[in-house]
Amino acid sequence: MKEDILHNLEIINNRIKNACKKAGRKPDEVKLLLATKTVSAERIKVAIENGQVLIAENKVQELKEKYEELKDIPHINHFIGHLQTNKIKDILKYEVMCVQSLDRLDLAEKLHQRLLAENKTIEVLIQVNTSNEESKFGVDPKNAIELTKKVAEFSTLNIKGLMTIGLFSAETEKVRKCFKILKNIQQEIILENIPNIEMKELSMGMSGDLETAIEEGSTIVRVGTAVFGTRIYPDSYYWNEKN
Ligand SMILES: *Cc1c(COP(=O)(O)O)cnc(C)c1O
């Protein structure tokens, strides 16, 4: 088990390095985030103990279940799933540093209220639905700037950039279009000069499309399958409101 994970990590790091080279970028411009849904704490531990820092769950329940076993090994937790407002308390309790899936104003408002009460702040990325699929979360691209402006007004929410899940398609150019949309929104937001935000991070690219994402400017690639193997649940289980 350990050998598999280490071997896969090596392959992924090489893929990132090669994609950066091809795109004329420095490899340290792109962070590897491990998407750990369905992966046991024991397996996650192997990755963290071997140099990985950044991990992320999709469901608060899994964050909670693995918390005890991982809390004493230094790492950083992001959250990349659909966040229900009644789970906000847990996000803070289990020390999530960045919510990458901020996609609506009422979530921002409630997160802000809770953070104020606890005298804390949190990093956020605005999740944009660039593939125009109803099954995926994220703000509509045409409303992304407006949402960013409103979220920027909450003193406890530190906007660091944008996140998207690209279209699932074997056609690279269709996937690329999603990443280009995110990049364009980033550029438009930068021109707006919104106070108190950063727009450095573009979280895009997964096991199957990270090369394309890196070519289009990704700074965080979120990888699950290519490191930990295939999952028993289809991704729709995590990405669909009905679950
Ligand atoms: C599962 C997941 C990933 C990683 O997907 P893989 O194809 O397994 O690399 C990335 N982002 C999100 C939001 C996910 O839910």
Side-chain angles (χ1 to χ4, degrees), residues 35 37 58 80 163 165 206-208 222-226 231 235 238-239:
K37 54 178 179 268
N58 289 67
I80 56 174
M163 185 271 251
I165 302 172
M206 316 197 324
S207 293
R222 309 178 308 267
V223 178
T225 317
R231 294 175 290 267
D235 284 334
Y238 287 90
W239 294 348

Side-chain angles (χ1 to χ4, degrees), residues 180-225:
K180 278 191 188 295
I181 290 172
L182 201 70
K183 179 80 189 177
N184 284 339
I185 295 171
Q186 178 201 38
Q187 296 308 306
E188 284 178 46
I189 291 174
I190 290 171
L191 292 176
E192 295 272 338
N193 276 319
I194 303 167
N196 304 319
I197 72 163
E198 283 176 42
M199 257 303 126
K200 279 212 308 261
E201 306 291 357
L202 285 181
S203 176
M204 56 189 197
M206 316 197 324
S207 293
D209 56 18
L210 67 90
E211 282 84 0
T212 311
I214 289 172
E215 282 170 34
E216 298 305 327
S218 171
T219 63
I220 303 173
V221 291
R222 309 178 308 267
V223 178
T225 317

Side-chain angles (χ1 to χ4, degrees), residues 26-212:
K26 295 195 211 89
D28 65 5
E29 289 174 29
V30 181
K31 292 185 274 287
L32 172 59
L33 173 148
L34 300 179
T36 51
K37 54 178 179 268
T38 76
V39 180
S40 69
E42 192 191 5
R43 286 158 59 77
I44 298 170
K45 223 165 159 175
V46 170
I48 300 175
E49 283 170 349
N50 286 279
Q52 296 308 303
V53 183
L54 198 52
I55 65 173
E57 292 291 347
N58 289 67
K59 288 197 181 281
V60 171
Q61 184 59 30
E62 285 192 49
L63 179 69
K64 192 171 164 178
E65 282 164 10
K66 301 170 200 176
Y67 179 76
E68 278 301 318
E69 216 174 316
L70 297 177
K71 78 174 190 325
D72 296 327
I73 335 168
H75 68 280
I76 294 170
N77 278 315
H78 283 199
F79 191 78
I80 56 174
H82 181 62
L83 182 54
Q84 286 158 340
T85 51
N86 62 357
K87 300 280 169 64
I88 286 172
K89 260 190 197 170
D90 287 334
I91 287 287
L92 306 186
K93 183 172 169 192
Y94 299 115
E95 303 181 280
V96 168
M97 180 186 266
C98 178
V99 173
Q100 294 203 1
S101 44
L102 194 73
D103 61 355
R104 58 200 197 278
L105 192 59
D106 87 298
L107 175 62
E109 269 164 4
K110 296 204 168 87
L111 198 49
H112 175 63
Q113 291 308 331
R114 189 69 220 168
L115 286 158
L116 274 184
E118 295 192 22
N119 199 19
K120 288 179 180 168
T121 61
I122 202 164
E123 295 180 358
V124 298
L125 303 184
I126 305 295
Q127 182 177 358
V128 184
N129 183 349
T130 56
S131 62
N132 200 21
E133 292 170 288
E134 274 189 32
S135 61
K136 285 184 190 159
F137 297 111
V139 62
D140 191 301
K142 65 178 184 296
N143 300 325
I145 297 177
E146 194 192 332
L147 178 63
T148 304
K149 280 183 185 163
K150 287 188 173 145
V151 173
E153 290 173 14
F154 296 119
S155 57
T156 59
L157 304 181
N158 301 324
I159 301 176
K160 297 288 177 186
L162 307 173
M163 185 271 251
T164 199
I165 302 172
L167 184 75
F168 273 123
S169 167
E171 293 175 66
T172 306
E173 292 318 302
K174 286 190 181 164
V175 182
R176 186 185 303 281
K177 213 174 121 196
C178 298
F179 300 147
K180 278 191 188 295
I181 290 172
L182 201 70
K183 179 80 189 177
N184 284 339
I185 295 171
Q186 178 201 38
Q187 296 308 306
E188 284 178 46
I189 291 174
I190 290 171
L191 292 176
E192 295 272 338
N193 276 319
I194 303 167
N196 304 319
I197 72 163
E198 283 176 42
M199 257 303 126
K200 279 212 308 261
E201 306 291 357
L202 285 181
S203 176
M204 56 189 197
M206 316 197 324
S207 293
D209 56 18
L210 67 90
E211 282 84 0
T212 311

Side-chain angles (χ1 to χ4, degrees), residues 4-15:
D4 284 350
I5 294 172
L6 298 190
H7 178 66
N8 291 343
L9 280 170
E10 197 182 319
I11 294 173
I12 282 292
N13 281 317
N14 279 329
R15 281 177 61 188

